[in-house]
Amino acid sequence: MSTFVLVHGAWHSGRCWERVTPLLESDGHRVLAPSLTGYGDKAHLLSPEVGLETHVDDIVTLIEEQDLTEVVLVGHSYAGLVISSVANQIPDRIGHLVYLDAMVPEDGETAVDVQPMSQHLIDLAATSGGGWRVPPLPEQPPPFGLFGVTDPADVIWLRTMLSDQPVRCLQQPVRLNNPAAQAIPRAHMHCVGATPAGITRRPVPAIQPNGSPARVRELETGHDCMITMPVELSKLLLELSR
């Protein structure tokens, strides 16, 4: 059986995986879905000093303290930066990387390099919140909704888990200089529902860093697929674990 570590994206908390976790566990897998520093049960730790490196340390520490190996490490959205950096630090403990509608960086890149609209968020933060915190993106009319969530009850639930995002998370570069990390298999899952203007996705290279053909799956839904399509997402993750 596999061990899944599910890493949420910007503004969210580990609670966003609550519909996926039991589906993976029912198949016999171990699942950890922590909240990164500054979110959820760790919201009291939100500060200007919290950045990408903080979140990488969160996941590295979790994996090492739990002595996990062959981890299926899933990163949603901003967490694509996090899981890339984690794999760079502890490649021997990672069995698979899954980029879930995620940023996929190159060495030395920041969130702004991967997703240029992030600079707009940084500029907005400069005019409020002390210049260091970015509030969650606002809800938009259907079909965009709140991070792709349009069901009114789900939107209410999602709002309960959202926190501001420290600007530092968007400004710190990834360090991907460990050749061993390049050998880790990867998969890419794209949410191909309605996408707000300004959001871009880099093409997935046909050949991945380990030399294998790209594995790309699509979900016909908005960005927060763990809320809108938990069953379909879980099936894709289980496909990987087998």
Side-chain angles (χ1 to χ4, degrees), residues 9 12 16 34 41 45 49 56-57 62-63 77 82 92 98 107 109 116 121 143 152 154 180 185 187 195 214 222:
H12 291 56
C16 70
D41 59 319
L45 298 175
E49 287 70 40
V56 173
D57 288 344
L62 172 70
I63 292 172
S77 195
V82 178
D92 56 311
V98 180
D107 182 37
E109 289 189 325
L121 302 177
D154 285 345
T195 303

Side-chain angles (χ1 to χ4, degrees), residues 3-62:
T3 297
F4 289 87
V5 175
L6 311 177
V7 188
H8 65 81
W11 301 294
H12 291 56
S13 78
R15 290 177 55 214
C16 70
W17 303 102
E18 286 182 359
R19 296 175 179 175
V20 173
T21 296
L23 298 175
L24 299 178
E25 291 177 335
S26 68
D27 204 59
H29 303 286
R30 184 180 182 187
V31 184
L32 294 88
S35 289
L36 300 172
T37 296
Y39 307 94
D41 59 319
K42 299 178 183 176
H44 62 287
L45 298 175
L46 188 70
S47 75
E49 287 70 40
V50 172
L52 173 61
E53 293 177 2
T54 311
H55 295 155
V56 173
D57 288 344
D58 286 340
I59 303 303
V60 169
T61 299
L62 172 70

Side-chain angles (χ1 to χ4, degrees), residues 52-188:
L52 173 61
E53 293 177 2
T54 311
H55 295 155
V56 173
D57 288 344
D58 286 340
I59 303 303
V60 169
T61 299
L62 172 70
I63 292 172
E64 291 184 335
E65 288 184 347
Q66 296 284 333
D67 196 22
L68 305 178
T69 57
E70 290 299 311
V71 171
V72 180
L73 187 58
V74 182
H76 179 239
S77 195
Y78 153 78
L81 305 178
V82 178
I83 67 170
S84 296
S85 298
V86 170
N88 190 69
Q89 289 194 29
I90 50 172
D92 56 311
R93 293 182 177 271
I94 310 302
H96 212 111
L97 291 171
V98 180
Y99 291 89
L100 179 57
D101 219 33
M103 298 183 185
V104 185
E106 300 291 341
D107 182 37
E109 289 189 325
T110 69
V112 175
D113 296 313
V114 184
Q115 185 59 257
M117 69 88 63
S118 299
Q119 184 59 55
H120 175 64
L121 302 177
I122 294 172
D123 295 342
L124 287 177
T127 64
S128 63
W132 65 268
R133 52 199 300 165
V134 182
L137 297 176
E139 183 178 357
Q140 300 183 49
F144 304 113
L146 184 62
F147 297 102
V149 178
T150 56
D151 179 86
D154 285 345
V155 169
I156 291 171
W157 179 56
L158 176 55
R159 287 188 187 281
T160 67
M161 68 183 77
L162 298 180
S163 304
D164 288 355
Q165 172 88 345
V167 163
R168 193 174 176 86
C169 297
L170 308 177
Q171 295 173 320
Q172 286 188 321
V174 298
R175 291 289 175 252
L176 307 179
N177 54 6
N178 188 342
Q182 301 300 307
I184 300 172
R186 297 183 176 193
H188 303 261

